[in-house]
Amino acid sequence: MASLSGKPRHTSRAPWRGLAAPLAGDRSLRGLAALKRLKPEQREALQQRLQVREYRRAQLIYQPGQEASSLYVVLAGVARLSIRSPSGRRVLLNLLPAGEIFGHSALVEGGHSHVFEAAAYTDMRAGRIGADDFLEVLAGDRAREVGEMISFVTERWITLVIRLGRFLAQDLRARVASSLIEAARGFGVQDARGHVLSLRITQDALADLSAGSLRKVNAVLRRFEAEGLIGKEGGRIVLRQLGTLEELVLAS
């Protein structure tokens, strides 16, 4: 079977039944409403470079920790993005219909590994394109310049998305540790005591940052203090064992 680019398609041996094209009789990108914002020549160039593969329902596309070097286009069917909680429960983040693009971590210079799990929610067809090729399709000769701009603008946004995704999967203890670590990176001053937060962060603010109740967050903070991970001096929080807190977050 040939792909949209005319090259051999990677597909399973079993026949793929019951999947209709996005628009009757139209298997090109013109049939995908989400891609109509592209110019016709951009859609054509994108279509020529896509490596197309068919996935059965629940089949994995990529998983957290894998290198993010390509973007994906849902050509037909539905994809899902999810993340695993510490209990092993899958937290569904989004369902992506035909025309949606995912795998945006590949656009950040220097590379980001995938944070979410991407899989087929229904039987689906997806196209894959390398990040460099994608930028060339959009910007032509200015691909590198545009790529640097996209990386600069979106890197912080992706970091916030990653933070949200991890929070959905973490328990409260890990969320409080994450909030303290982020505060230390932004407002911490390292000395012999550890990392002293130069900004006075109230317990109410920590509860909001950690998405927990004030009572439960206070209980976590008291436990951290009893374990020697944090302390208080002059009304300011001191992270005495930043490395241990980071290990706690990673373990979750």
Side-chain angles (χ1 to χ4, degrees):
M1 185 180 296
S3 69
L4 294 178
S5 63
K7 299 178 181 179
R9 177 181 297 176
H10 301 286
T11 185
S12 59
R13 294 180 181 177
W16 209 38
R17 300 186 180 93
L19 180 65
L23 293 181
D26 188 353
R27 287 180 175 267
S28 74
L29 300 187
R30 292 178 302 165
L32 303 176
L35 294 179
K36 287 185 176 179
R37 71 193 72 177
L38 298 181
K39 298 177 181 178
E41 58 269 24
Q42 290 175 321
R43 285 199 301 270
E44 182 179 354
L46 178 61
Q47 182 169 312
Q48 290 175 349
R49 299 188 186 205
L50 286 179
Q51 295 178 328
V52 179
R53 180 177 175 181
E54 296 173 345
Y55 295 87
R56 290 287 189 178
R57 182 177 182 272
Q59 187 175 353
L60 189 68
I61 300 172
Y62 59 73
Q63 58 187 345
Q66 288 184 332
E67 181 184 0
S69 58
S70 300
L71 289 97
Y72 297 79
V73 183
V74 182
L75 300 176
V78 181
R80 65 167 166 80
L81 295 180
S82 59
I83 194 169
R84 292 280 184 176
S85 68
S87 66
R89 175 176 173 267
R90 179 185 294 113
V91 179
L92 181 62
L93 300 176
N94 203 2
L95 295 176
L96 305 175
E100 290 296 325
I101 298 174
F102 59 101
H104 294 82
S105 296
L107 292 174
V108 177
E109 285 192 333
H112 261 288
S113 59
H114 290 298
V115 177
F116 306 131
E117 176 187 282
Y121 184 74
T122 66
D123 287 352
M124 64 171 286
R125 184 186 307 116
R128 184 181 70 180
I129 182 171
D132 291 341
D133 284 341
F134 180 77
L135 290 170
E136 187 174 336
V137 164
L138 292 184
D141 294 339
R142 300 185 63 191
R144 179 163 184 78
E145 178 183 350
V146 171
E148 291 173 351
M149 183 182 303
I150 290 177
S151 178
F152 172 76
V153 172
T154 62
E155 186 171 9
R156 180 56 180 166
W157 176 83
I158 290 176
T159 300
L160 293 174
V161 172
I162 291 171
R163 183 180 190 273
L164 174 60
R166 286 176 175 165
F167 261 43
L168 290 173
Q170 287 174 334
D171 57 24
L172 181 60
R173 179 176 165 88
R175 296 202 303 271
V176 174
S178 292
S179 298
L180 290 171
I181 292 168
E182 290 180 0
R185 288 172 178 165
F187 310 103
V189 178
Q190 187 173 6
D191 60 19
R193 297 169 292 178
H195 291 76
V196 183
L197 301 188
S198 60
L199 179 69
R200 292 180 182 272
I201 299 179
T202 66
Q203 291 182 346
D204 284 339
L206 276 174
D208 289 340
L209 285 170
S210 306
S213 69
L214 180 60
R215 178 180 62 82
K216 291 183 178 180
V217 169
N218 282 344
V220 172
L221 291 173
R222 287 195 298 271
R223 183 176 174 183
F224 282 169
E225 192 167 5
E227 294 172 349
L229 301 180
I230 67 172
K232 293 180 182 177
E233 295 191 17
R236 300 182 188 276
I237 297 176
V238 181
L239 276 62
R240 302 193 188 282
Q241 300 290 336
L242 181 63
T244 303
L245 289 170
E246 291 174 336
E247 291 174 2
L248 188 157
V249 172
L250 291 174
S252 71

